[in-house]
Structure formats: C-alpha cells, structure tokens
Amino acid sequence: MTISLYDAIIPTMIQMLGSAQGWIEKAKASDLADGDIAAFRLAEDMLPFDYQVKSMVAHSLGAIEGVRKGTFSPDLEEPDSDLEKMRLNLGAAENSLRALSTGELESFVGQEMHFIFKAKDVDIPFTAENFLLSFSQPNFFFHATTAYAILRHMGVDVGKMDYLGQIRTAPAG
C-alpha cells in the first residue's frame, strides 16, 4: 500500500491542532492567568508557551503556505498571549488544513522550495516533500509536545489522551 504525502502529514496535523485547542480550553478553565501561561517556559533557553502555540500554526498551515509560494521563513511577529486568540488561531489552521485536497498536496511532490532566514543569512534548499516531512513535521511535533508539557508542568489537568486527541480508528464493520 502506498501512502500519499497528504496522508503522511495532514490528518495528524489536524488531529494535533484539535488536541491543542482542547488543552487551551482546559488551561482557560484553570486558575492560572493567561499571561502567566503565555510567558511560561520549561527552561531559560526555551521559548514560552505562546511561541510554542504560534509555531504549531507556522509548521502546519504556514508550512503548506510556504510550499505553495516556494519559500518558508520564520515568523518573527510577537505571538498572541491571550489563550482564546491562541485557540482560535489553532482552529483556523485546522479548518484551512481540512479544506486542502489530496491532489494539491500531491502536486507539490518534487517541487523546489527554500527555508530562508535572512537575519542569519540562511537559505536551505528542499523539495516540498522533504521540507514538510523532515523540517516542518518534526518542528510541529516539537512545539506541540513543548506546549503540552508546559501546561502539564503548570498543573493544567491534561493527560495522554488529551495529547492524542481524536485518534483515527478503523470503521466498525
């Protein structure tokens, strides 16, 4: 059985974006202040929660948009520190990914693209599939796991099933 680029990337990103929205709902229901959550980092040399959430969007929908235009650059804008805005950004990314077609993703295979970070004079060439599978997808999971770990560390009532979210099971039959 062959697997498409779409199947290798999009359904799991949709799953995790939905999960993250659930974590944020639980964080909003906690006694913690939005600003305290947004600014929390696991280690001094790591970026805070709000950046982790922003990066989930950047390495899912933003990665697809980067492939479409042939370049992807880091988003250097300040992240939203309001939990509801973070949740809405994740939801918007999820909805946009749901609107993608398998055909569009497959049309990217073999397409040249570049990761460009002008501030550090970096230009890394990729094929679209290698960018998505070896750069954005691992980054997406790193930021998702870090965001989850921050909430867990802060005492938000999230567990493994919250992390996994809505898993895709075989149809009953």
Side-chain angles (χ1 to χ4, degrees):
M1 175 182 113
T2 59
I3 186 167
S4 69
L5 183 59
Y6 179 98
D7 290 334
I9 296 171
I10 302 303
T12 304
M13 285 184 172
I14 289 170
Q15 178 181 335
M16 295 305 300
L17 290 166
S19 296
Q21 291 169 74
W23 315 332
I24 290 177
E25 284 295 332
K26 286 190 169 194
K28 287 171 42 181
S30 75
D31 292 335
L32 300 167
D34 283 18
D36 292 341
I37 295 170
F40 194 87
R41 48 183 87 217
L42 291 174
E44 193 59 38
D45 65 344
M46 292 180 79
L47 291 161
F49 180 79
D50 57 4
Y51 182 87
Q52 305 303 329
V53 172
K54 178 180 111 170
S55 294
M56 288 182 69
V57 173
H59 286 289
S60 59
L61 180 58
I64 300 301
E65 291 169 347
V67 168
R68 282 180 177 142
K69 61 183 191 177
T71 62
F72 178 91
S73 296
D75 177 359
L76 302 176
E77 298 291 318
E78 284 295 315
D80 284 313
S81 61
D82 177 78
L83 291 177
E84 183 59 15
K85 286 182 183 173
M86 288 183 223
R87 190 189 66 75
L88 290 171
N89 290 340
L90 291 165
E94 177 188 350
N95 289 336
S96 293
L97 291 179
R98 287 184 185 282
L100 290 173
S101 70
T102 301
E104 180 180 11
L105 263 284
E106 296 314 300
S107 75
F108 296 149
V109 173
Q111 177 181 309
E112 182 181 324
M113 69 149 316
H114 293 261
F115 171 81
I116 297 172
F117 191 9
K118 289 180 184 176
K120 297 195 179 210
D121 199 29
V122 171
D123 181 344
I124 304 171
F126 287 97
T127 60
E129 65 273 21
N130 285 338
F131 171 75
L132 292 170
L133 291 166
S134 74
F135 184 81
S136 275
Q137 191 174 55
N139 269 287
F140 176 81
F141 284 112
F142 173 84
H143 294 295
T145 302
T146 303
Y148 169 85
I150 287 170
L151 293 178
R152 178 83 186 216
H153 180 82
M154 293 185 81
V156 175
D157 185 24
V158 291
K160 184 176 183 179
M161 294 312 293
D162 296 298
Y163 180 83
L164 293 176
Q166 183 63 50
I167 56 175
R168 298 178 310 276
T169 59

